[in-house]
Amino acid sequence: MKFEVYTDESYITDERYRSIAAFSYNADQRTAIHNELNEILHHSNVREFKWSKLSNAKYKICALKLINFILKNITKYDIRIDVLTWDTYDSRHKVKNRDDQANFERLFFHLLKTCCKKRPKNSIWDIYPDQRHGIDWDTVNTCLNAEGNKREFQSSLFGDFYSDPYYQIHRFSEIDSTKEPCCHIADLFAGLSVFSINSYSKYKKWVLQNQPSLFETETEAVDVSNSEQVRFEVMQKFNTKCKNLKLGVSLDRNQCFLTYDHKKPINFWWYKPQHQHDKAPKK
């Protein structure tokens, strides 16, 4: 089988929480997916969807249409959304002279390695990261290829053998996200992940303030900006749809979007330090 994956990131510069998202699908569905996404953008009068622009009704409607498209076609187009989020204050990242460019390369590797391994073995991949200056994409590609070519040694009643490689990379090419609607999907989910962490407390007060009640109850008043109002609505509707579809996406338990079963097609994943020596690279 052949798959394509587009990636984009959010809150990467000077933020405590940062994320990268990968939008992958069956490559046979490329034309249909691109056509439908371009149609959504056209009818929404949005040239490029960016989470940073999500502050008015036009972008809210576009965001909800994009989310509806993904959730409606998960099975039809064999879609996965994998979002890796990390905390720059944890034991891995809180180091002096941290090299954020090199750290991004390593976390990108972890995300794409995980994304590719969630598909059938020996699948063929085209990988399209958003352009990002200063990233050594050649080394990232080399490391991903090396990981994909590994074979597991297995024993059976019929003898010992090596399994198929995990995956093969056919193309690895950075692209201009403004021209690729699939990058807009990655940007949307990367932004949604970090926003759910940064704004959960205020979001819950907003939910309580706006939910209907048969009884008069005192709730803490909360003032929200136009941008927060729009993003809270998108966050709430996405959470409700995930619950209705039983996608295993949790929000309230950890006060952010998180998926416990990483095999699920919408996978919000927190990077945790693997051991005491797992440290971000230094300059």
Side-chain angles (χ1 to χ4, degrees):
M1 298 184 68
K2 187 173 182 179
F3 296 92
E4 293 185 351
V5 58
Y6 288 79
T7 70
D8 208 342
E9 61 276 350
S10 190
Y11 296 92
I12 287 298
T13 305
D14 299 326
E15 295 283 348
R16 173 177 177 177
Y17 300 105
R18 308 178 187 185
S19 64
I20 317 170
F23 169 41
S24 62
Y25 54 82
N26 188 314
D28 290 341
Q29 306 299 334
R30 172 187 173 84
T31 300
I33 289 173
H34 279 241
N35 287 345
E36 291 190 51
L37 290 178
N38 279 322
E39 185 175 357
I40 289 172
L41 293 170
H42 174 72
H43 287 293
S44 301
N45 193 27
V46 170
R47 180 172 176 269
E48 178 191 15
F49 180 88
K50 297 288 290 182
W51 178 264
S52 59
K53 297 180 181 179
L54 183 56
S55 59
N56 57 43
K58 181 175 79 169
Y59 277 88
K60 179 186 76 173
I61 292 170
C62 184
L64 293 175
K65 287 181 178 178
L66 293 174
I67 287 171
N68 287 339
F69 167 80
I70 293 299
L71 299 183
K72 178 182 177 182
N73 294 293
I74 280 180
T75 302
K76 180 180 179 181
Y77 295 147
D78 201 359
I79 286 172
R80 280 192 64 87
I81 303 288
D82 292 281
V83 187
L84 176 59
T85 305
W86 64 97
D87 181 0
T88 60
Y89 287 12
D90 67 18
S91 62
R92 180 182 192 275
H93 294 93
K94 202 169 185 179
V95 295
K96 189 176 181 179
N97 296 322
R98 184 181 67 232
D99 188 336
D100 283 331
Q101 295 280 55
N103 188 56
F104 178 90
E105 294 169 6
R106 284 160 174 75
L107 293 175
F108 181 94
F109 166 79
H110 283 300
L111 174 64
L112 267 293
K113 175 187 70 174
T114 300
C115 172
C116 292
K117 286 185 176 182
K118 290 289 184 290
R119 302 294 193 170
K121 281 194 172 183
N122 210 22
S123 293
I124 299 171
W125 285 83
D126 289 343
I127 300 175
Y128 299 107
D130 182 27
Q131 289 176 338
R132 184 171 168 80
H133 296 298
I135 300 300
D136 185 355
W137 291 120
D138 289 337
T139 298
V140 174
N141 185 21
T142 298
C143 293
L144 283 171
N145 267 299
E147 184 68 24
N149 287 326
K150 290 180 180 179
R151 298 168 181 257
E152 293 179 338
F153 184 77
Q154 299 178 343
S155 298
S156 72
L157 293 174
F158 304 101
D160 299 332
F161 64 95
Y162 285 96
S163 66
D164 288 336
Y166 287 119
Y167 55 85
Q168 301 177 50
I169 298 177
H170 171 252
R171 179 180 290 112
F172 188 108
S173 178
E174 60 178 326
I175 46 86
D176 181 356
S177 65
T178 63
K179 301 175 182 178
E180 294 291 346
C182 291
C183 276
H184 305 182
I185 296 294
D187 182 274
L188 168 58
F189 281 88
L192 186 62
S193 177
V194 174
F195 182 75
S196 73
I197 302 165
N198 288 334
S199 303
Y200 178 82
S201 178
K202 195 170 187 179
Y203 165 76
K204 286 304 293 184
K205 293 175 183 177
W206 173 83
V207 169
L208 292 172
Q209 182 174 281
N210 289 278
Q211 69 182 12
S213 175
L214 294 175
F215 307 98
E216 290 188 6
T217 56
E218 290 188 6
T219 58
E220 183 180 349
V222 56
D223 291 325
V224 298
S225 66
N226 290 336
S227 175
E228 288 173 325
Q229 173 72 29
V230 167
R231 295 179 182 192
F232 286 162
E233 290 180 31
V234 170
M235 186 171 161
Q236 183 180 46
K237 290 182 179 181
F238 171 70
N239 185 48
T240 300
K241 287 179 180 293
C242 286
K243 293 287 187 295
N244 292 340
L245 293 171
K246 295 180 171 57
L247 291 175
V249 176
S250 170
L251 174 59
D252 292 323
R253 184 187 295 186
N254 288 275
Q255 300 185 6
C256 66
F257 283 120
L258 186 68
T259 309
Y260 290 96
D261 182 356
H262 298 311
K263 294 179 182 179
K264 294 288 188 179
I266 306 292
N267 177 31
F268 288 93
W269 168 36
W270 267 90
Y271 186 87
K272 298 291 185 182
Q274 303 300 296
H275 47 77
Q276 64 178 347
H277 300 296
D278 181 10
K279 301 292 183 181
K282 299 180 181 180
K283 295 180 181 179

